[in-house]
Each structure stands twice: as structure tokens, then as C-alpha cells.
Amino acid sequence: MLFRDRPAERLEELFDREEEVRRLLNAVNSSALTLILGMRRVGKTSVVKAATYGKLRIYIDARYFEEKRYISYGDLLEALRKELRRLLPLHKRLGELLSKIRGVSVAGVDVKFEIGRNAPSFAEILEAFDQWAREQGERLVLIIDEAQELAKLRGRTLLPPLGYAYDNLRNISMVFTGSKAGLLLRFLRLEDPHSPLFGRYFEKIELGPFSRELSVQFLTKGFEEAGVRVSRELIDRAVDELDGVVGWLAYFGLRAVKKPDSALEETLEYAARLAAAEFCNFVQYMGSQRYIHVAKVCKNGARWSEVKRYLQAVEGKPITDYEVTKLLKNLVDYGFLEKRGEIYLVPDPVLRTALQSLRC
Ligand SMILES: Nc1ncnc2c1ncn2[C@@H]1O[C@H](COP(=O)(O)OP(=O)(O)OP(=O)(O)O)[C@@H](O)[C@H]1O
Ligand SMILES: [Mg+2]
């Protein structure tokens, strides 16, 4: 079925996205680093997984660290271990190569990493991946999903090994996804002369929401496949409200196959709840309720000066330009706002709705 509640795994499960897949496959063959950026639920994981299906790849899900304030090197190694346990039964040689690294032991199909001072070096792990790929005669795709979360790593820095891999490990192609584009770029410090990744070329693939027309096609095709009849009016309404974000369209589709009458309301309610929880997490993390006011005034677009006026009106006292700029920048970096020309706005239709009555 076209509608599913998990990321697509294979190309035939993807609707549209041919262009993005083509660009990604080209990049994987020719570039050391590719970034896949796009708002929540827009289909990043699906494109990466489906495009690299059957390729030599290692997939690290950093989304797992989203709720955490900090992560340790041990947490990162544990995430890697999960993936290796999946790979080792099929690839004995990878186990052999890893077991040569200090701090790594491989027992059958499981791998153990020392932690603390004896933890293995990440660069050496990447070297083992590189050698494995070379021996296989294939490039290895190292995928870090929601890679900005690795900025929370304390006690070690990842950029030097990543920079080393970029420069020296020719059989590895790194693909990082991020729904918080600003944070991801800040983490990689590609424009900072002191960064190991400074000035490195990278491919950037931005995933956007589907156009209205594609969204209608997606829903129509999905309902046809499922063998259910859903009125054109309901499809139009869903497309209006969900704005081409494929994850929400798929969620709606799945519900509508079972209960068309309440599907849209249920989808909107669920999505708004998630969006609100995520936004409130951010507000708590940043420690300022001002973010709520700013997001509210930018719901349908506002200029910097309007934001400042609004904040001052709400608080009844002056606010510095610096503070206004900082609030806006953080909201953009975390992907809650987009800047289009002079206008800041909330791109996620679901968050726009959630903001109407949001309290954190
Ligand atoms: N091109 C597509 N065709 C069909 N379904 C898709 C497509 N892209 C994504 N989906 C569906 O949309 C949902 C969200 O997709 P996915 O998890 O890949 O998005 P994401 O951008 O990684 O989301 P998140 O920000 O939550 O990580 C999934 O249920 C997936 O099956
Ligand atoms: Mg994802």
C-alpha cells in the first residue's frame, strides 16, 4: 500500500521524489558529504533509506537522542552497535576488521565497545568501514539521520574524525539528514576556518512539501490502491489543511482507509499534539516563553520590526534588537520558522494550527 506509518525502505515504496533520489545517488557516488534537509515529516528518512536500499550502508539514527540534553560517546557507540548487530550476521569480514581496533571486541554477531578512557577512536572505526568497503569494491554510505543531534555530544568531538573521513577515506560517502537545518550547519561548522570541515564541498538536497497537484495525486492513488472510495471534497480539504507534507498525508490516508468520516480531524488533532509537544520541549530547553509569542506572531508571516513591536506590546517594556534577532535566529535554526525574503513564517501547517491555542 502507498500509505504507511514508517519510512519507506525501497524505491518502489516512494511516491514521486525521482529527482531527489537521482541527485542523492549521484552524490553518493561522487561526493564525500551530502546533506538532506527538510522540515518534519517531509520524507527525509524515506528518501535516504529507499535510495540506498541494497547498497553497502551504515545507518545511525540520531533522532533517538532528540529528547536528551546531552549525550556521551558511549551513547553514540551504542547507537552504532545497534546497527552493527544487524549487519554482522551478514558480513563477517566487517566484524574481523572491527575486532582489530583497540577498545572493540566482536563476539559472534555482537560487538562490544569499551567506554571511558579505553573507548575506541571513531576515526579508527571509520577506517575499518573504509577498508571493508574497499574490499567489497563498493562505496559505503554512512547515514546519520537527524545528525544535528550529535552536537549534544560531550567529552569528545566528532568533527575531527568526520573531517579525516572526508579527506582520506575515499570509500565512504557521508549522508546526513536534518530537520533543523540551521543546527546541522552550525554543528558541521563548514564555514568556520578553524573547523576540520571548513570549506569542504557538500551536496545539499532540500526536500519540500508536495505541490497541491501531487498531494491530490498521492491521496487518490493511495485510495485507489487500497480499494476505497473517498470523496474528492475530502481529499481537497485534507490537501488544504496538510499542505503537502507527505508524512501527514500518509497518516491521513491510513486513517481514511478505515474511517473516512473522522480521519481528517483525527490527523489534525494528532499532528497538532505532536507539533505542540515538540515546540514546548524547545521552549523549555531554551528557557524563555518569548519563543511562543514570536512563533505566534509569525504564524502567517511577520517582519522583524513587527516581531519586535508585538513582543514589546505583550510585555509592556522595551526589548533590545539583539534579543529579537536572537529569538528569530534560534527559531529558524531549529526549523520552526523559515525566512523568506524579509518575512519570517511558520512553514509547518500543523504547528500553525497548534500555535492558535498553545500554552507550554
Ligand atoms: N515519497 C513518499 N511516498 C510515500 N510515502 C512517503 C514518502 N515520503 C515519506 N512518506 C511517508 O511519510 C511518513 C514520514 O516519512 P519520513 O519518516 O521519511 O519523513 P521524515 O522527514 O524523515 O520525518 P521526521 O522529520 O519525523 O524524521 C512515513 O510514514 C513515510 O512512509
Ligand atoms: Mg526522519
Side-chain angles (χ1 to χ4, degrees), residues 2-8 13-17 38-47 63 145-146 179 210 218 246-248 250:
L2 189 56
F3 304 138
R4 64 177 54 79
D5 58 359
R6 295 171 158 234
E13 295 172 353
L14 280 187
F15 177 81
D16 192 62
R17 302 297 193 206
M39 64 188 273
R40 268 299 150 80
R41 312 301 293 160
V42 83
K44 301 171 295 296
T45 305
S46 294
V47 164
R63 150 69 47 86
D145 207 356
E146 302 292 344
S179 46
F210 287 153
F218 174 69
V246 62
W248 297 132

Side-chain angles (χ1 to χ4, degrees), residues 307-341:
V307 173
K308 179 168 176 173
R309 260 204 310 278
Y310 181 80
L311 274 177
Q312 298 195 138
V314 170
E315 297 193 4
K317 60 180 188 202
I319 288 181
T320 63
D321 290 358
Y322 173 80
E323 172 73 2
V324 176
T325 302
K326 186 189 83 185
L327 294 166
L328 285 166
K329 180 171 184 325
N330 282 333
L331 283 163
V332 170
D333 279 355
Y334 276 80
F336 294 113
L337 284 187
E338 252 177 46
K339 190 174 182 203
R340 298 191 191 151

Side-chain angles (χ1 to χ4, degrees), residues 41-74:
R41 312 301 293 160
V42 83
K44 301 171 295 296
T45 305
S46 294
V47 164
V48 184
K49 284 199 153 172
T52 57
Y53 183 81
K55 288 192 171 296
L56 221 52
R57 72 172 177 197
I58 293 192
Y59 173 87
I60 299 178
D61 192 0
R63 150 69 47 86
Y64 183 67
F65 303 130
E66 201 158 52
E67 305 275 292
K68 298 198 172 196
R69 213 164 236 270
Y70 300 113
I71 59 171
S72 67
Y73 187 48

Side-chain angles (χ1 to χ4, degrees), residues 164-185:
Y164 170 73
Y166 186 108
D167 291 344
N168 300 295
L169 305 180
R170 295 299 151 104
N171 305 290
I172 294 183
S173 176
M174 296 180 277
V175 177
F176 299 163
T177 82
S179 46
K180 300 164 186 167
L183 281 196
L184 180 55
L185 293 170

Side-chain angles (χ1 to χ4, degrees), residues 194-212:
H194 302 295
S195 161
L197 283 172
F198 172 66
R200 302 298 188 279
Y201 174 79
F202 62 97
E203 292 283 341
K204 182 164 83 173
I205 299 176
E206 288 183 81
L207 284 188
F210 287 153
S211 66
R212 214 196 134 77

Side-chain angles (χ1 to χ4, degrees), residues 12-143:
E12 56 271 26
E13 295 172 353
L14 280 187
F15 177 81
D16 192 62
R17 302 297 193 206
E18 285 90 2
E19 177 61 19
E20 288 88 347
V21 167
R22 194 188 55 73
R23 286 188 54 206
L24 177 57
L25 289 176
N26 270 339
V28 159
N29 288 326
S30 59
S31 300
L33 176 62
T34 307
L35 305 185
I36 300 198
L37 308 174
M39 64 188 273
R40 268 299 150 80
R41 312 301 293 160
V42 83
K44 301 171 295 296
T45 305
S46 294
V47 164
V48 184
K49 284 199 153 172
T52 57
Y53 183 81
K55 288 192 171 296
L56 221 52
R57 72 172 177 197
I58 293 192
Y59 173 87
I60 299 178
D61 192 0
R63 150 69 47 86
Y64 183 67
F65 303 130
E66 201 158 52
E67 305 275 292
K68 298 198 172 196
R69 213 164 236 270
Y70 300 113
I71 59 171
S72 67
Y73 187 48
D75 292 331
L76 171 62
L77 292 177
E78 187 53 35
L80 179 60
R81 177 171 173 232
K82 259 194 215 145
E83 173 70 350
L84 291 173
R85 286 163 90 170
R86 202 181 59 76
L87 287 168
L88 289 179
L90 305 169
H91 301 283
K92 248 196 158 135
R93 177 66 183 146
L94 177 60
E96 281 170 24
L97 290 167
L98 286 169
S99 66
K100 291 184 188 159
I101 302 171
R102 205 163 52 94
V104 182
S105 47
V106 177
V109 294
D110 198 3
V111 59
K112 249 185 152 163
F113 295 116
E114 299 283 330
I115 49 169
R117 265 195 315 138
N118 296 326
S121 107
F122 204 67
E124 285 184 37
I125 294 174
L126 294 176
E127 275 175 343
F129 292 162
D130 184 66
Q131 186 175 343
W132 178 50
R134 189 169 60 235
E135 289 177 7
Q136 304 274 317
E138 232 191 278
R139 267 165 88 88
L140 173 122
V141 193
L142 174 67
I143 302 166

Side-chain angles (χ1 to χ4, degrees), residues 236-340:
D236 278 340
R237 234 171 12 102
V239 171
D240 284 343
E241 301 268 8
L242 302 171
D243 230 9
V245 180
V246 62
W248 297 132
L249 293 172
Y251 187 92
F252 163 73
L254 278 173
R255 303 241 120 205
V257 164
K258 293 199 186 111
K259 284 201 289 178
D261 291 345
S262 54
L264 185 54
E265 279 60 40
E266 278 173 25
T267 305
L268 288 171
E269 197 191 300
Y270 173 71
R273 229 178 327 123
L274 277 195
E278 195 186 344
F279 188 70
C280 286
N281 255 344
F282 163 81
V283 171
Q284 262 149 26
Y285 181 74
M286 302 307 270
S288 167
Q289 296 277 316
R290 280 180 177 162
Y291 287 103
I292 303 177
H293 301 313
V294 177
K296 280 187 176 173
V297 69
C298 292
K299 216 160 27 101
N300 298 310
R303 288 167 188 277
W304 185 96
S305 53
E306 290 170 280
V307 173
K308 179 168 176 173
R309 260 204 310 278
Y310 181 80
L311 274 177
Q312 298 195 138
V314 170
E315 297 193 4
K317 60 180 188 202
I319 288 181
T320 63
D321 290 358
Y322 173 80
E323 172 73 2
V324 176
T325 302
K326 186 189 83 185
L327 294 166
L328 285 166
K329 180 171 184 325
N330 282 333
L331 283 163
V332 170
D333 279 355
Y334 276 80
F336 294 113
L337 284 187
E338 252 177 46
K339 190 174 182 203
R340 298 191 191 151

